Amino acid sequence: MDPVHALRRTAFLLEREQASSFRVEAFRKAAAVLLALDADEFDTRLGAGTLTDLKGIGKSSAEIVVQAAQGRTPERLAKLEDAAGPLVEGGEELRAQLRGDLHTHTDASDGGSPLAEMAFTAAELGHEYIAVTDHSEGLKVANGLDRGRREAQLEQIAALAAPLAPFRLLSGIEVDIGKDGTLDCPPDLLARLDVVVASVHSELRMPADAMTRRMLAAIRSGRMDVLGHCTGRMVKGGHGRVGEKGRPPSEFDAAAVFAACVEFDVAVEINARPERLDPPRALLRQAVEAGCLFTLSTDAHAPGQLDWQPYGCARAEECEVPADRIVTTWPVERLQEWVSTRRAAHA
Ligand SMILES: [Zn+2]
């Protein structure tokens, strides 16, 4: 077994099980050190047992490397593989129909891994495409990208096209919806991106009428393709820092918001993160009734989280969301045609 693959796979499975990214990063760092090492030095250090003298390779990583180099599945990895059953019951049929993911973050904003690691992991999962949707500039807590960094990322995306083919890496953004409903990114830049996800991240407790006006203004701008995690709620006891304590959903006139999504051809995101599962059941059913389109996305902040789609699939199935109204079941050509048609009509 290739030691780099063994380390990456170990990290992936730990993240899939919701391990803290601190524990996981060590394995990826070790993989990166190995990749930069020439073959002779690797052999010498393997023989002498001095891999751990290298900065970035700790005891647990070295153990994995040694066992993989001996041609066997490392014990640690074998245990993880054995334990890696289905994450949730239900939604299998829908999961089989998903082709991509339109909400992912890299270490350019608040994710844990570089663009290439996210993209290759998505391809390994069998996805046909993902959009990288790092945060917009104003979201300082999440290290949002300014124009310069966004343009640098567009160049990185273009450079990865050939190595990833036929997998498609789409450009995107999770643009923050300001208190007055303005989108936190200049229109010319938004227009250059393949997918624009817009979400509320601040003042989630504002009065319902103000929140409704805010969301409607954003949707009616015509410049967003997807409404991200529409209530901002956090399930109590869920994964992550905020998830532990929970956070109530924000309040707004859902009938008006979903009607605007239909009118402006904006898809409502089914956010699959276990601590979000947003929209909650009643709202998701209401959006189905209203005739909305949907995305089903993981909001992954690490490669292993790209495999969290089943949480959203189970929820979508339970709320009887028709698969054909979930744009992430569509081939990339149909997806891109939908985006350009809706922008031509509304932006
Ligand atoms: Zn978000």
Side-chain angles (χ1 to χ4, degrees), residues 146-220:
D146 61 14
R147 182 182 286 268
R149 291 174 62 221
R150 183 78 55 190
E151 286 185 352
Q153 187 177 64
L154 287 175
E155 280 171 30
Q156 281 180 30
I157 291 171
L160 281 167
L164 284 163
F167 176 88
R168 290 285 308 277
L169 181 57
L170 304 176
S171 61
I173 186 171
E174 182 180 18
V175 61
D176 188 45
I177 299 176
K179 294 176 195 63
D180 57 356
T182 50
L183 299 183
D184 173 38
C185 182
D188 71 292
L189 197 46
L190 289 179
R192 284 167 58 191
L193 304 172
D194 292 318
V195 180
V196 173
V197 178
S199 324
V200 168
H201 290 104
S202 60
E203 300 216 17
L204 293 157
R205 308 307 312 143
M206 75 195 318
D209 56 344
M211 183 60 93
T212 305
R213 280 198 301 276
R214 178 184 187 180
M215 293 170 82
L216 289 179
I219 294 163
R220 289 176 179 153

Side-chain angles (χ1 to χ4, degrees), residues 103 105 135 139 174 199-201 228-229 271 276 299 301:
H103 190 162
H105 297 273
H135 291 286
L139 207 63
E174 182 180 18
S199 324
V200 168
H201 290 104
H229 52 68
N271 189 299
R276 282 196 185 271
D299 198 351
H301 283 67

Side-chain angles (χ1 to χ4, degrees), residues 6-323:
L7 289 166
R8 286 184 64 235
R9 180 77 186 158
T10 301
F12 173 87
L13 289 173
L14 283 166
E15 280 164 354
R16 185 178 181 273
E17 300 301 326
Q18 305 187 20
S20 85
S21 44
F22 178 75
R23 270 178 73 203
V24 175
E25 270 319 290
F27 295 113
R28 287 219 181 79
K29 248 183 222 140
V33 172
L34 282 194
L35 276 174
L37 204 62
D38 76 70
D40 287 342
E41 186 178 352
F42 175 73
D43 289 341
T44 311
R45 287 191 178 276
L46 191 65
T50 57
L51 280 166
T52 48
D53 290 351
L54 292 168
K55 194 168 175 269
I57 299 190
K59 205 167 145 259
S60 351
S61 293
E63 210 170 272
I64 290 171
V65 173
V66 169
Q67 293 171 3
Q70 287 165 351
R72 55 197 177 103
T73 306
E75 278 161 46
R76 175 103 189 242
L77 179 54
K79 268 189 206 147
L80 286 166
E81 295 282 8
D82 282 346
L87 293 171
V88 64
E89 233 176 90
E92 295 83 3
E93 215 175 289
L94 177 57
R95 171 64 188 90
Q97 292 179 72
L98 288 179
R99 293 170 185 263
D101 192 327
L102 297 181
H103 190 162
T104 71
H105 297 273
T106 75
D107 61 4
S109 65
D110 59 347
S113 279
L115 181 59
E117 184 71 35
M118 291 295 284
F120 279 100
T121 302
E124 287 160 6
L125 267 173
H127 289 2
E128 293 172 25
Y129 55 86
I130 60 166
V132 51
T133 55
D134 278 316
H135 291 286
S136 59
E137 184 173 4
L139 207 63
K140 302 282 186 223
V141 287
N143 193 22
L145 278 62
D146 61 14
R147 182 182 286 268
R149 291 174 62 221
R150 183 78 55 190
E151 286 185 352
Q153 187 177 64
L154 287 175
E155 280 171 30
Q156 281 180 30
I157 291 171
L160 281 167
L164 284 163
F167 176 88
R168 290 285 308 277
L169 181 57
L170 304 176
S171 61
I173 186 171
E174 182 180 18
V175 61
D176 188 45
I177 299 176
K179 294 176 195 63
D180 57 356
T182 50
L183 299 183
D184 173 38
C185 182
D188 71 292
L189 197 46
L190 289 179
R192 284 167 58 191
L193 304 172
D194 292 318
V195 180
V196 173
V197 178
S199 324
V200 168
H201 290 104
S202 60
E203 300 216 17
L204 293 157
R205 308 307 312 143
M206 75 195 318
D209 56 344
M211 183 60 93
T212 305
R213 280 198 301 276
R214 178 184 187 180
M215 293 170 82
L216 289 179
I219 294 163
R220 289 176 179 153
S221 74
R223 297 200 168 94
M224 53 183 271
D225 307 310
V226 180
L227 174 62
H229 52 68
C230 66
T231 77
R233 67 101 169 245
M234 291 284 175
V235 177
K236 202 171 174 208
H239 168 75
R241 214 163 10 96
V242 192
E244 277 164 29
K245 284 182 270 138
R247 185 165 71 202
S250 59
E251 285 167 19
F252 53 87
D253 179 346
V257 166
F258 294 148
C261 285
V262 173
E263 187 185 344
F264 288 83
D265 206 11
V266 168
V268 174
E269 176 183 87
I270 300 168
N271 189 299
R273 290 188 70 81
E275 80 278 27
R276 282 196 185 271
L277 289 174
D278 203 357
R281 288 181 182 86
L283 278 191
L284 183 50
R285 288 183 190 276
Q286 193 177 345
V288 171
E289 282 295 305
C292 293
L293 285 177
F294 298 90
T295 62
L296 197 153
S297 295
T298 59
D299 198 351
H301 283 67
Q305 298 176 4
L306 287 164
D307 205 17
W308 284 356
Q309 286 177 323
Y311 295 117
C313 291
R315 177 55 58 93
E317 189 180 85
E318 190 187 335
C319 295
E320 298 171 87
V321 184

